[in-house]
Amino acid sequence: MGEAVGPHVLVIPYPAQGHMLPLLDLVHLLSSRARLAVTIAVTTKNRHLLDPLLSRSPTVVPLVLPFPDYPALPPGVENAKGLPLAFFRPLTHALAGLQDPLLRWAHSTPHPPTAIISDFFLGWTSDLAAQLGIPRLVFSPSGALVVAVLHVLWRRMPERSDPDDPDCPISFPEIPNSPALPRHQLSFLYRTHIVGEPLSEFIKEGFLKNIASWGFVVNTFADLERVYLDHHRNDLGHPRVWAVGPLAPPDGPAERGGGASAAVGEIMTWLDGCPEGSVLLVAFGSQQVLAPPQAAALAEGLERSGARFIWCATEATVVPKEFEGRVAGRGLVVRGWAPQVAILGHRAVAAFLTHCGWNSVLEAVTAGVAMLTWPMGADQFWNARLVVEEAGVGVALCDDADAVPNADELARVVAESLGESGKGMRERAKELSRRALDAVKGGGSSYKDLEGLVAELSKIRVK
Ligand code: AWU
C-alpha cells in the first residue's frame, strides 16, 4: 500500500441515468468546492457519460473497467437505459464482477482510496471497502423516505395482512407518518423476491450491507424530509447521514446527462414567447415509455385543456398523427433527450406532469414548479405521496403505470393546475423552491452537510 497522502474518494455509480446524474453532480461538488481527490469507476460503454463532468471538473480521474462477463445479460448491455425490468437483477449482479478488478487497482495505485461512495444498488462495495480497510458510504439517488422504506422492506420483509387482497396496503408503522402503500406499488425488486433464489438473496444482502455501512449521502434537503433524516440517524444509531441536495445545479449546463438531442435554443425561444407561468411541462424521465393508448389519451387531454405545453416524448413514444399541427403555437412536442432542468427553470413554466422520478421531483421543487403526479414504478409512488400529501406542491393525476387517463379529467386537472384553483399549490411550490435554494447556498442545511461530509472524509487516513 502507498503511503497516506490525503483523502481520496473512489466513487462507483449505478449505470442508470436517474442514478448517475445526481452522483456526478455530487462528485463535481466534492472535487471543485472541496478540492477532494476523486476517482470515478465506470465500465467501457458508460465512459462517455462522464464527459460533461470531466469538462467542468478536470481533476476527477475516470477509471474505466471492462464490463464483467455475464451470459444472462443480452450482449453489449452495460446500462439500464431501455433495459426491460427483468434484466434489472442480472445487471445489478453482474456489476459485482467489478470487485476484484477494483481491488487490484486499489492495491496497485500510488494513491489508494481512503473511502468509497457508491450507489445503494451496489451493496457489494461494502465488501470491497472492508477488504481495503476503508469506510463505504451509500449514495441514495432517492429521497430519505424511500431509503427508510427500503430498510424496513429488506429487514422485516413485510407481507400483506390479507394475502388474497392484491390491494391490501403494506404499512410501515416504524417510519414517521406511518406510511402505507398497496403491495403492487412497492419496489419491483422486493415484490419479485424469491426466498433462497441466488439473485434475490444477492439483492437483499446488498440492501442489508447498505444498512451496516459507515454512512449515507442522500440527494434531499432537511426542509423537505427532516423527519425521515432524523429517523435514519436514530435508526442507524449514528449521525453520519448527510442531506446534500438538491444536487442538480439549477443553472447548470443544458447538456446534463449527455447532449440534448432537442434544439435547446429553439425550445427556449418558444418558451420566451409564452406568458409567465402559463406552460405545462410533460416528461416521464429517462426510462418510462408511454404505451400508445396512454399517449393518445394524454394528447387528447392536452388538446382539450387549451393549455400551453411542452411534451418531452422519448423516441419510442407514439404521438398521434396531426396532433402537433392541431396544437401548433400552443403546444411543442420535443423528441429525444431534452434539457429538462433548463425548461423547468424558465419563467413561463408553472406546472409539470411527471412520473415522479426523484430527480424530476427535486428539479421541479428547485424551480418552484407545481406537479401533476403520475407515478409508474420504482420509488415514484412514495415520491408522489410526499409531493401531494406532505409538501402540498402537487396534485394526483394517475397512480398506475398501466392506467389510460380519462382525457376530460386530464384536461380539467391541467387547466386547474395552471388556473385560479391551482394558485395555492403554485405559491407553495415557489415557497418550497426558496427553501431548496437556501439549503444549497452558503450556510444552508445541505451546504453545511456537505462541509460536514468533507470534514469526516478528510479525517480518514489509511495506514
Ligand atoms: P428521474 O429520477 O426523474 O427519472 P428516471 O430516469 O426514471 O430515473 C431514480 O431514477 C428514481 O428515483 C426512480 O424513480 C427512477 C429513476 N432527463 C433529461 O434531462 N432529459 C430527458 O429528456 C429525460 C430525462 C433527466 C432529468 C432527470 C433524469 C431522470 C433515481 O425514476 O432532468 O435529472 O434525467 O431522472
Side-chain angles (χ1 to χ4, degrees):
M1 282 280 189
E3 75 295 342
V5 287
H8 174 197
V9 183
L10 170 62
V11 171
I12 311 171
Y14 185 82
Q17 282 290 53
H19 289 243
M20 274 188 87
L21 288 174
L23 186 46
L24 300 187
D25 291 327
L26 174 65
V27 167
H28 174 62
L29 291 174
L30 292 176
S31 115
S32 64
R33 188 192 297 168
R35 302 261 170 274
L36 283 185
V38 180
T39 294
I40 183 160
V42 293
T43 61
T44 315
K45 283 191 175 178
N46 291 307
R47 167 61 188 76
H48 71 283
L49 295 171
L50 302 185
D51 289 342
L53 167 72
L54 299 177
S55 63
R56 55 187 176 126
S57 310
T59 61
V60 172
V61 178
L63 172 61
V64 183
L65 300 165
F67 191 86
D69 184 30
Y70 202 87
L73 270 177
V77 166
E78 298 189 17
N79 191 293
K81 191 163 179 47
L83 197 64
L85 265 182
F87 287 110
F88 219 57
R89 262 198 197 81
L91 174 66
T92 307
H93 188 230
L95 292 163
L98 294 174
Q99 185 165 340
D100 290 347
L102 285 166
L103 194 62
R104 285 195 296 276
W105 165 79
H107 284 157
S108 62
T109 177
H111 185 189
T114 57
I116 291 176
I117 299 181
S118 53
D119 188 277
F120 67 9
F121 280 157
L122 305 175
W124 56 269
T125 54
S126 286
D127 304 335
L128 172 66
Q131 290 172 305
L132 295 170
I134 61 178
R136 181 253 174 155
L137 294 85
V138 179
F139 174 72
S140 172
S142 293
L145 164 60
V146 167
V147 174
V149 167
L150 289 170
H151 289 183
V152 173
L153 283 178
W154 294 106
R155 257 193 305 215
R156 183 158 64 81
M157 306 295 282
E159 276 312 330
R160 277 171 290 211
S161 48
D162 171 358
D164 305 326
D165 170 3
D167 282 340
C168 170
I170 303 255
S171 51
F172 299 80
E174 60 268 71
I175 298 177
N177 303 321
S178 303
L181 272 186
R183 192 175 188 284
H184 72 267
Q185 292 185 342
L186 296 180
S187 105
F188 163 81
L189 292 172
Y190 178 75
R191 283 184 287 114
T192 53
H193 178 82
I194 301 165
V195 177
E197 187 267 325
L199 252 56
S200 289
E201 295 303 333
F202 169 82
I203 297 283
K204 177 181 178 184
E205 284 310 308
F207 281 103
L208 296 178
K209 286 171 184 165
N210 290 350
I211 297 169
S213 74
W214 189 73
F216 279 78
V217 184
V218 188
N219 186 14
T220 191
F221 62 105
D223 270 6
L224 183 63
E225 295 200 285
R226 182 170 279 106
V227 286
Y228 304 115
L229 292 163
D230 294 344
H231 162 79
H232 280 301
R233 295 177 182 119
N234 298 334
D235 178 54
L236 298 165
H238 62 73
R240 295 185 300 276
V241 176
W242 293 281
V244 297
L247 282 165
D251 50 7
E255 276 63 34
R256 188 163 184 276
S261 48
V264 178
E266 279 170 34
I267 295 170
M268 292 305 151
T269 306
W270 188 88
L271 284 169
D272 292 345
C274 300
E276 175 142 2
S278 68
V279 176
L280 171 80
L281 169 63
V282 181
F284 302 99
S286 67
Q287 305 275 105
Q288 291 292 344
V289 177
L290 292 185
Q294 295 177 311
L298 172 61
E300 205 179 330
L302 291 173
E303 191 166 349
R304 290 187 192 167
S305 72
R308 287 186 178 80
F309 64 87
I310 289 190
W311 177 5
C312 297
T314 57
E315 304 288 4
T317 304
V318 180
V319 176
K321 287 202 171 26
E322 281 109 47
F323 169 72
E324 291 168 76
R326 288 200 303 275
V327 297
R330 78 172 169 85
L332 186 65
V333 177
V334 173
R335 286 183 178 71
W337 190 259
Q340 177 167 308
V341 170
I343 294 172
L344 282 168
H346 194 284
R347 59 165 183 67
V349 177
F352 179 21
L353 171 41
T354 173
H355 73 314
C356 296
W358 190 242
N359 296 290
S360 292
V361 166
L362 286 180
E363 290 157 14
V365 164
T366 304
V369 172
M371 287 166 261
L372 290 68
T373 66
W374 184 353
M376 298 179 176
D379 56 352
Q380 296 147 24
F381 299 99
W382 294 107
N383 301 342
R385 185 184 164 285
L386 191 95
V387 163
V388 174
E389 296 172 21
E390 294 190 32
V393 296
V395 59
L397 179 73
C398 268
D399 74 347
D400 186 338
D402 307 321
V404 175
N406 169 284
D408 286 330
E409 175 61 10
L410 190 146
R412 182 186 64 74
V413 176
V414 167
E416 286 182 1
S417 69
L418 292 169
E420 195 47 37
S421 53
K423 201 156 174 285
M425 174 175 71
R426 295 196 306 275
E427 280 164 1
R428 285 190 295 275
K430 293 288 180 215
E431 170 52 28
L432 188 57
S433 163
R434 274 188 287 279
R435 287 195 265 151
L437 295 170
D438 285 351
V440 293
K441 245 188 258 153
S445 62
S446 294
Y447 192 96
K448 285 195 283 196
D449 265 28
L450 187 79
E451 286 182 328
L453 167 64
V454 169
E456 286 298 318
L457 289 172
S458 304
K459 285 188 205 148
I460 301 164
R461 285 286 177 278
V462 178
K463 288 291 161 278

